Amino acid sequence: MGSKINQHLYFLSLIIALVFGFALIRSADGQYLVGVGSYDMTGPAAGINMMGYANLFQNTAGIHFRLRARTFIVAESSNGTRFAFVNLDAGMASQLVTIKVLEKLKTRFGNLYTEENIAISGIHTHAGPGGYLQYLIYSITSLGFVQQSFDAIVTAIVQSIVQAHNNLKPGSIFISKGDVENAGINRSPSAYLLNPAEERAQYPENVDKEMTLLKFVDAASGKSIGAFNWYATHGTSMSRDNLFISGDNKGAAARFFEDWFSSKNESSSTTTSKFSTSSDIGKLMEKSKTIKATGGQQCGKTTSQGFKVRKNDGSLFVGAFCQSNVGDVTPNVLGAFCIDSGKPCDFNHSSCHGDDQLCIGRGPGYPDEILSTKIIGERQFQKAVDLFNSATDQLSGRIDYRHVYINFTNIEVGLDGTGNNRGKTCPAALGPGFAAGTTDGPGVFGFQQGDTEINKLWKQLRDVLKKPSQYQEECQKPKAVLLSSGEMFEPYAWAPAVLPIQILRLGKLIILSVPGEFTTMAGRRLREAVKDTLINNGNGEFDNDTHIVIAGLTNAYSQYIATFEEYAHQRYEAASTLYGPHTLPAYIQEFNKLAQAMAKGEKTTKGPSPPDLSSVQLSLSLNPTGDSPPVGKKFGDIKEDINQPKDGSFNKGDRPSATFWSANPRYDLLTEGTYAVVEMLQGKRWIPVYDDDDFSLYFKWSLENTSFHGLATVEWEVPTEAIPGVYRLRHFGSSKKTVNSTNHYFTGASSAFTVS
């Protein structure tokens, strides 16, 4: 009996060894399990403050194009090591979002996906709804926590991960690298110049131009299923005055890339060209004159999903444009100029006659911010296409990860490698340069970037909130402490103390997940330090071909990380480096510990868990309380129909629009649906050809000036690829009569018009 048990145990151990051995052989040969997913995360499109510029008056009033969560998962085998990387069309990751996502994943997958092997990263658009971060400093302008914003993001992350998990299949991964031209410049060049000359001489530019792209290929079909890339440029092509929800330049690049791939793999080149129509424009115009607006009609909760041009059934190609060490990189590549004189701004302070509010960066489409968004998006998209088409370097080798939580407010840091010269990080604090803002979005009058002193009035106002401790003031020097956020805990914590750092490994690719915005040189130092540590401790497993990328704004958010030299200048990035002059050395020290553990195959301790502050969040933003249309009108009825052109037909570049009586879009986000559609007449059927996820279509929300009834305007900039035909504009919406009543869904379409 005993010999039989021993025999069974022997065979069982042999089978287990074979399974793991097969998994290692597959990954060594470049075969992994790969899966991608994507889900709509568009938040409330009316009346919610946007996250990024801290502009109290920048509240959502429509959608330019929708926001998405995009995920890839890689695994060595079905039971083997894996990690998931999520890219959000959001300003940044949120610690509270991460906490709640992990809770939901645990109920579905157990311990398969945890804080250790999931990275959630933001592209840093400044045009998404705010109110989803748990620390008070980040929710002041949003009037506190916004549950609807938060839920939209959490749901999208979870659904995109579930989709990617369900799509896991054997596949290959290819890596490609190349420079993106003219999509970012350094917005704080005077600070960059303070870095050592011999260090600067190692790099051709004062920004990192390299894009790193991963291409995922299904093994069975040989078809590409997705591509993710990392490149550093700010999501500030859209200005602080914009009110449209937008993924900014990276969100635009993703939309262009996914549509390019879709069109490339269809028999026709564009969505609309699959349809045929009469070339007799006269007949088309006569036909369009007979088709009037439909008036408001009832519909179902999911009706708008059927009008989506891109239906998310889990099979769509997923293209993501991820953020990197973006701290001092702006997409406003024409430079910064004084709006009163047109002359370049002061070099050291980015001000005009001492006024920071007059100095504004210009994008390549200046003064058209949407054109600038498109151009910077296209430059990233075109490079991604080049890298995608030329990607032949196949990744192979182990999948691995390391993660730890660290209290960043009191880290002792070795500064010279000898252990004799020590420094410490500090509780979080912001300096006056933070209040000055940047050339992408100027801040408060009376401050300039580079300020190291605070006037008496501002000190008095500061001290009403919280007078910084003497220790804090000494620790943060040469930063003058304008806001000692790390010492402020009423009504709850103003700033983070415990932060996550993480290393993900995919063969020779190393991804450093950082919870903030590293400047260009700070990112370079971190990459070089981690690479050296891996090589020196990896027993030959890592070498000069090991490629390091930084995933910025990942898993949590703690503002900026400048170099020690840049910190001395106290421009915006340095004034926003929360934990004092030794913040970057602390990051390098702690990442080196993780890298050493990875190289040696050692485990790491978890560290102190960050708090879950969901139970104490304040929320002062008001939810809609019920809407009704004007007397004698229905929701979906036309208020202003198409203004037909004099020659009877619209041309490419024209902007036909229609305005409908509508209810607040916050009653239902129409997730994976659409508020706006362009329909094209095909025979007797209307076919949706553009929706509110298209760059050419705008959904605008407003209140009527006198009655304050809701209005929805659908505006279409006729794109160059639109073919001649008969079109109309359609709107979808949802309403409630009172807070507690059920949702009613409606739709309406404009009269028809012709495009020649």
Side-chain angles (χ1 to χ4, degrees), residues 63 76 176 218 262 306 459 531 580 622 640 660 693 710 728:
I63 298 174
E76 290 181 349
S176 188
D218 177 68
S262 175
K459 278 188 177 181
K531 186 172 184 176
L622 300 176
E640 295 179 14
F660 302 81
D693 205 10
R728 69 180 180 185

Side-chain angles (χ1 to χ4, degrees), residues 179-193:
D179 285 353
V180 182
E181 297 297 336
N182 205 23
I185 62 171
N186 198 303
R187 70 185 184 188
S188 290
S190 59
Y192 179 88
L193 287 173

Side-chain angles (χ1 to χ4, degrees), residues 58-137:
Q58 190 188 16
N59 298 318
T60 56
I63 298 174
H64 183 197
F65 55 94
R66 286 189 170 250
L67 310 179
R68 301 198 72 81
R70 296 173 170 92
T71 296
F72 76 83
I73 299 176
V74 291
E76 290 181 349
S77 66
S78 58
N79 296 312
T81 307
R82 69 184 59 207
F83 70 78
F85 189 95
V86 186
N87 192 56
L88 302 179
D89 286 347
M92 62 284 293
S94 154
Q95 184 65 73
L96 189 58
V97 164
T98 301
I99 289 170
K100 296 306 179 184
V101 165
L102 292 171
E103 289 178 0
K104 290 179 179 294
L105 291 176
K106 187 174 180 64
T107 62
R108 184 185 286 259
F109 296 110
N111 292 323
L112 190 61
Y113 300 105
T114 69
E115 61 203 357
E116 294 190 6
N117 68 343
I118 286 183
I120 302 173
S121 185
I123 63 171
H124 208 35
T125 176
H126 286 44
Y132 62 93
L133 288 89
Q134 70 172 350
Y135 297 104
L136 188 61
I137 192 70

Side-chain angles (χ1 to χ4, degrees), residues 131-165:
Y132 62 93
L133 288 89
Q134 70 172 350
Y135 297 104
L136 188 61
I137 192 70
Y138 307 127
S139 60
I140 292 173
T141 57
S142 63
L143 302 181
F145 189 72
V146 180
Q147 191 71 51
Q148 197 173 33
S149 289
F150 181 84
D151 289 344
I153 295 171
V154 170
T155 299
I157 294 170
V158 171
Q159 291 302 318
S160 70
I161 290 173
V162 169
Q163 195 178 94
H165 175 86

Side-chain angles (χ1 to χ4, degrees), residues 604-622:
T604 56
T605 57
K606 177 182 176 179
S609 295
D612 178 343
L613 301 178
S614 56
S615 64
V616 296
Q617 294 295 306
L618 298 177
S619 183
L620 302 179
S621 63
L622 300 176

Side-chain angles (χ1 to χ4, degrees), residues 524-730:
R524 289 168 176 171
R525 290 184 190 176
L526 178 63
R527 290 198 305 262
E528 290 301 315
V530 169
K531 186 172 184 176
D532 287 345
T533 299
L534 291 170
I535 292 173
N536 292 334
N537 293 275
N539 198 26
E541 194 168 350
F542 301 94
D543 55 29
N544 285 328
D545 287 336
T546 300
H547 187 66
I548 315 283
V549 297
I550 289 174
L553 307 113
T554 300
N555 294 328
Y557 184 62
S558 60
Q559 293 173 259
Y560 285 75
I561 300 92
T563 68
F564 181 82
E565 295 83 359
E566 293 164 351
Y567 190 88
H569 196 6
Q570 282 298 297
R571 283 180 60 90
Y572 178 83
E573 295 80 18
S576 305
T577 296
L578 294 184
Y579 306 108
H582 305 307
T583 300
L584 175 60
Y587 269 101
I588 291 173
Q589 173 180 285
E590 300 305 317
F591 263 104
N592 277 341
K593 292 177 184 177
L594 278 189
Q596 184 171 322
M598 176 175 281
K600 292 184 175 182
E602 299 172 348
K603 293 184 177 181
T604 56
T605 57
K606 177 182 176 179
S609 295
D612 178 343
L613 301 178
S614 56
S615 64
V616 296
Q617 294 295 306
L618 298 177
S619 183
L620 302 179
S621 63
L622 300 176
N623 294 321
T625 57
D627 285 15
S628 298
V631 176
K633 300 291 183 182
K634 302 190 300 293
F635 285 131
D637 282 353
I638 282 283
K639 181 181 185 293
E640 295 179 14
D641 206 352
I642 303 292
N643 185 12
Q644 300 285 352
K646 291 181 179 179
D647 63 1
S649 180
F650 289 99
N651 297 307
K652 310 299 171 61
D654 289 343
R655 299 176 78 110
S657 68
T659 299
F660 302 81
W661 294 109
S662 188
N664 193 308
R666 290 185 64 187
Y667 291 120
D668 194 310
L669 303 181
L670 298 186
T671 302
E672 291 293 1
T674 181
Y675 292 108
V677 180
V678 177
E679 296 178 303
M680 184 179 183
L681 185 63
Q682 292 295 311
K684 296 183 179 181
R685 295 178 59 226
W686 288 98
I687 307 297
V689 289
Y690 298 93
D691 60 37
D692 68 8
D693 205 10
D694 277 284
F695 203 84
S696 63
L697 189 62
Y698 302 82
F699 165 66
K700 303 179 181 181
W701 163 255
S702 62
L703 292 174
E704 206 269 337
N705 289 334
T706 54
S707 68
F708 300 106
H709 287 103
L711 299 173
T713 298
V714 179
E715 183 177 302
W716 182 40
E717 183 177 6
V718 182
T720 55
E721 70 269 16
I723 61 174
V726 176
Y727 294 85
R728 69 180 180 185
L729 306 179
R730 177 176 290 278

Side-chain angles (χ1 to χ4, degrees), residues 19-282:
V19 169
F20 279 100
F22 179 68
L24 289 173
I25 290 169
R26 285 207 320 182
S27 61
D29 288 342
Q31 279 284 302
Y32 301 99
L33 293 181
V34 296
V36 296
S38 174
Y39 202 79
D40 184 1
M41 56 170 276
T42 310
I48 296 300
N49 192 252
M50 290 182 171
M51 181 61 201
Y53 287 116
N55 176 9
L56 189 62
F57 304 103
Q58 190 188 16
N59 298 318
T60 56
I63 298 174
H64 183 197
F65 55 94
R66 286 189 170 250
L67 310 179
R68 301 198 72 81
R70 296 173 170 92
T71 296
F72 76 83
I73 299 176
V74 291
E76 290 181 349
S77 66
S78 58
N79 296 312
T81 307
R82 69 184 59 207
F83 70 78
F85 189 95
V86 186
N87 192 56
L88 302 179
D89 286 347
M92 62 284 293
S94 154
Q95 184 65 73
L96 189 58
V97 164
T98 301
I99 289 170
K100 296 306 179 184
V101 165
L102 292 171
E103 289 178 0
K104 290 179 179 294
L105 291 176
K106 187 174 180 64
T107 62
R108 184 185 286 259
F109 296 110
N111 292 323
L112 190 61
Y113 300 105
T114 69
E115 61 203 357
E116 294 190 6
N117 68 343
I118 286 183
I120 302 173
S121 185
I123 63 171
H124 208 35
T125 176
H126 286 44
Y132 62 93
L133 288 89
Q134 70 172 350
Y135 297 104
L136 188 61
I137 192 70
Y138 307 127
S139 60
I140 292 173
T141 57
S142 63
L143 302 181
F145 189 72
V146 180
Q147 191 71 51
Q148 197 173 33
S149 289
F150 181 84
D151 289 344
I153 295 171
V154 170
T155 299
I157 294 170
V158 171
Q159 291 302 318
S160 70
I161 290 173
V162 169
Q163 195 178 94
H165 175 86
N166 291 338
N167 285 337
L168 279 169
K169 295 177 182 177
S172 302
I173 306 169
F174 298 86
I175 187 170
S176 188
K177 304 183 290 287
D179 285 353
V180 182
E181 297 297 336
N182 205 23
I185 62 171
N186 198 303
R187 70 185 184 188
S188 290
S190 59
Y192 179 88
L193 287 173
L194 294 179
N195 293 305
E198 60 272 20
E199 182 180 36
R200 289 186 280 111
Q202 299 173 35
Y203 304 97
E205 306 276 352
N206 62 4
V207 294
D208 287 336
K209 298 168 68 173
E210 186 174 74
M211 173 184 284
T212 299
L213 179 138
L214 295 181
K215 177 180 180 179
F216 303 100
V217 179
D218 177 68
S221 65
K223 294 181 179 179
S224 299
I225 58 172
F228 280 56
N229 67 71
W230 291 264
Y231 167 74
T233 194
H234 250 80
T236 50
S237 292
M238 300 294 283
S239 75
R240 67 196 304 271
D241 299 319
N242 161 63
L243 304 181
F244 293 133
I245 289 175
S246 166
D248 209 277
N249 56 70
K250 285 189 176 290
R255 170 53 51 239
F256 301 155
F257 193 33
E258 290 173 343
D259 286 351
W260 165 80
F261 184 86
S262 175
S263 66
K264 183 172 74 78
N265 286 274
E266 291 177 357
S267 58
S268 56
S269 60
T270 67
T271 305
T272 55
S273 63
K274 67 181 71 172
F275 306 118
S276 59
T277 188
S278 168
S279 59
D280 188 336
I281 197 67

